Amino acid sequence: MSEKDTLYLEGLPHADFVFDDQVVAVFPDMISRSVPGYSTIIAMIGSLSAEYALPNTFCYDLGCSLGAASLSMRHQIKAENCSIIALDNSEAMVQGCREAVAKDSADIPMEVRCENILESHVTNASMVVMNFTLQFVQPQKRDALISKIYEGLVPGGMLILSEKIRFEDSALNELFIGMHHRFKEAQGYSKLEISRKRSALENVLVPETLSQHRERILGAGFSAYDIWFQCFNFASMVAVKES
Ligand code: GEK
């Protein structure tokens, strides 16, 4: 059971947000009260894996945190001889993820490794999930990462990319930032906590527009792209490599 996230109640734990032990302890509570639709997205990643994971391939979870997306896939993949590779560059997250896997009952093999996804190899993948991870990668490194994923996917393979997004129209952008903050207030965060967290994420989480994502994904070679989930400034996209 996750502890309640009160990290920003008292003051700033760090000037910039970091994925350390303190965050790990409250992470499931933090992400589900901060990202509208998070539990739906996690469940649907599992459903997509039931359709898209192919026999004798790997399903990758890049920036896996405590492994929620991996574990959802692990319970729904039907393909024979498929295994999951979950990667995160936070030691604290990787340790927490390994503990979650140890308690999990599914029998699909799952490897959890502490790695910077910018340096990882992606090979023989039928699915690659980046559930709210690309937003933490420096923008100038994002093209190369998406191209590497495209190269590592088998024909017919799928990328699922969930991101906090920015709107091109500044009035709409402000509207949906406001709606997101109201969502967080309704989840029990105070205005002060919300504004402290916003400052901590300022230089760390860099959202892009849906057009920027679409252009990068199609530019990498994917033959199909669309948005399958959106709530305010949070969206999840799919891209498929031609079979
Ligand atoms: C979930 N996917 O629950 N290499 C590896 N990991 C990274 C890197 C990197 N370069 N940059 C950031 N991370 C999860 C939620 S959280 C999203 C993902 C959030 C990791 C970072 O350590 C953290 O665990 C994760 O990406 C982002 O479905 O906190 O908003």
Side-chain angles (χ1 to χ4, degrees):
M1 192 61 183
S2 167
E3 287 171 35
K4 188 171 159 93
D5 169 24
T6 55
L7 294 183
Y8 289 88
L9 208 53
E10 306 263 303
L12 288 174
H14 298 283
D16 279 342
F17 188 80
V18 285
F19 292 97
D20 58 9
D21 287 318
Q22 273 186 302
V23 168
V24 168
V26 300
F27 188 73
D29 178 69
M30 171 187 281
I31 197 157
S32 57
R33 289 200 291 133
S34 303
V35 175
Y38 175 75
S39 61
T40 302
I41 294 171
I42 290 294
M44 294 309 137
I45 288 172
S47 302
L48 286 163
S49 73
E51 297 293 323
Y52 268 87
L54 296 170
N56 309 311
T57 64
F58 298 110
C59 294
Y60 284 81
D61 182 2
L62 306 183
C64 60
S65 299
L66 299 179
S70 289
L71 294 175
S72 180
M73 293 195 284
R74 198 173 187 221
H75 283 264
Q76 298 211 49
I77 290 172
K78 296 187 179 72
E80 292 289 316
N81 193 29
C82 201
S83 53
I84 296 170
I85 299 176
L87 307 175
D88 204 289
N89 66 350
S90 153
E91 274 289 356
M93 284 292 187
V94 166
Q95 200 185 321
C97 186
R98 287 188 179 136
E99 285 164 19
V101 176
K103 289 188 197 133
D104 182 57
S105 59
D107 50 16
I108 289 182
M110 179 168 161
E111 193 182 341
V112 186
R113 300 200 303 250
C114 189
E115 272 182 34
N116 180 350
I117 58 170
L118 295 170
E119 287 156 18
S120 302
H121 295 289
V122 176
T123 49
N124 189 30
S126 58
M127 285 192 69
V128 175
V129 174
M130 274 202 289
N131 203 36
F132 302 106
T133 302
L134 188 67
Q135 60 196 19
F136 293 107
V137 170
Q138 287 165 285
Q140 68 274 22
K141 300 194 171 155
R142 295 180 186 180
D143 286 2
L145 177 57
I146 295 292
S147 293
K148 176 173 80 176
I149 291 169
Y150 176 80
E151 295 306 327
L153 281 164
V154 298
M158 172 180 275
L159 165 67
I160 302 176
L161 176 65
S162 311
E163 287 276 290
K164 185 173 192 180
I165 55 163
R166 192 165 61 73
F167 290 81
E168 264 144 64
D169 181 274
S170 58
L172 279 183
N173 201 45
E174 286 311 308
L175 169 71
F176 288 118
I177 289 172
M179 292 304 291
H180 176 228
H181 290 172
R182 258 175 263 166
F183 167 84
K184 289 187 70 168
E185 276 185 67
Q187 300 296 314
Y189 286 111
S190 68
K191 283 192 167 58
L192 191 58
E193 283 175 287
I194 294 168
S195 108
R196 283 172 172 159
K197 176 82 178 280
R198 189 181 183 180
S199 308
L201 284 172
E202 187 78 30
N203 304 314
V204 180
L205 190 168
V206 183
E208 293 176 306
T209 64
L210 285 170
S211 320
Q212 285 175 298
H213 287 296
R214 182 176 186 278
E215 205 174 300
R216 176 180 298 119
I217 283 172
L218 294 176
F222 285 94
S223 58
Y225 159 91
D226 225 317
I227 301 151
W228 67 273
F229 179 91
Q230 188 174 347
C231 182
F232 305 143
N233 44 353
F234 291 83
S236 190
M237 300 157 258
V238 279
V240 179
K241 181 169 180 171
E242 196 158 16
S243 35

